[in-house]
Amino acid sequence: EADIYQTPRYLVIGTGKKITLECSQTMGHDKMYWYQQDPGMELHLIHYSYGVNSTEKGDLSSESTVSRIRTEHFPLTLESARPSHTSQYLCASRTGGTDTQYFGPGTRLTVL
Amino acid sequence: GESVGLHLPTLSVQEGDNSIINCAYSNSASDYFIWYKQESGKGPQFIIDIRSNMDKRQGQRVTVLLNKTVKHLSLQIAATQPGDSAVYFCAEGPIKAAGNKLTFGGGTRVLVKP
């Protein structure tokens, strides 16, 4: 069982609000990822990080931003949430010595 | 573009029977494949993986088969149990790719009937 945590698990907010989704892992993994997933659909990579102070955009264009100031922490921020941002956001991490990504429980975001 | 896809969106299986979930991939450069299980309200959970230098790998009650000739991946679950009910995703990733990006296919829902 991987030690990767996401908060909040569920979030319902109004349009225009700024939100930050938290992701933390206690495994010392240097590589971290954010995916967006609609119910029952495939996962789409929106951001990833090789390590501290490293962030890259993923395959799916996203209006969100990320930061990586500490190894264990990889927060995702939406400056102005819109209904189109309603989705599940999954965080994952891996160590450089393996290709297996371990996922957190996800944050289900609903923007009204 | 490159894609990973699943043949069956929903698979109903009797408890105790074996399940087979199929996945096709199109990126011939992929050399790492992985299966995840996702239960309702949870994040994907690692099941088993396989590298392209292998054609079969076994875990506890699960077996992954890789056929590089036809770019096909399958997951076999032996003696399917109610706890196996979930959505299963396959994913592929070139080992050397920047950031080890994984490309996910659409999920297959497995429903285990008592």
Side-chain angles (χ1 to χ4, degrees), chain B residues 19-77:
Chain B
S19 303
I20 300 177
I21 307 166
N22 296 302
C23 178
Y25 66 94
S26 58
N27 188 347
S28 57
S30 294
D31 49 12
Y32 175 72
F33 305 87
I34 187 168
W35 282 99
Y36 285 97
K37 171 187 179 183
Q38 187 174 26
E39 297 174 276
S40 180
K42 297 183 179 180
Q45 178 186 1
F46 169 81
I47 300 174
I48 193 169
D49 59 3
I50 189 169
R51 298 197 184 281
S52 61
N53 61 350
M54 303 171 68
D55 53 20
K56 180 180 180 179
R57 191 171 186 211
Q58 288 184 294
Q60 187 177 13
R61 282 200 308 115
V62 295
T63 301
V64 56
L65 298 176
L66 175 63
N67 186 330
K68 295 181 286 295
T69 302
V70 295
K71 298 189 185 68
H72 185 265
L73 187 72
S74 68
L75 177 70
Q76 299 178 0
I77 305 173

Side-chain angles (χ1 to χ4, degrees), chain A residues 47-99:
Chain A
H47 298 283
Y48 63 99
S49 168
Y50 294 124
V52 171
N53 294 325
S54 157
T55 61
E56 301 286 344
K57 289 191 178 296
D59 300 320
L60 181 67
S61 176
S62 174
E63 294 167 344
S64 58
T65 58
V66 292
S67 62
R68 190 87 184 274
I69 299 173
R70 302 199 316 266
T71 297
E72 63 272 21
H73 197 214
F74 191 38
L76 181 145
T77 298
L78 277 167
E79 290 293 332
S80 180
R82 296 204 302 268
S84 60
H85 296 140
T86 294
S87 190
Q88 173 157 260
Y89 293 83
L90 291 159
C91 181
S93 72
R94 75 173 181 98
T95 181
T98 179
D99 300 299

Side-chain angles (χ1 to χ4, degrees), chain B residues 6-26:
Chain B
L6 295 175
H7 297 304
L8 300 173
T10 303
L11 176 66
S12 292
V13 60
Q14 200 70 38
E15 181 178 355
D17 288 350
N18 297 334
S19 303
I20 300 177
I21 307 166
N22 296 302
C23 178
Y25 66 94
S26 58

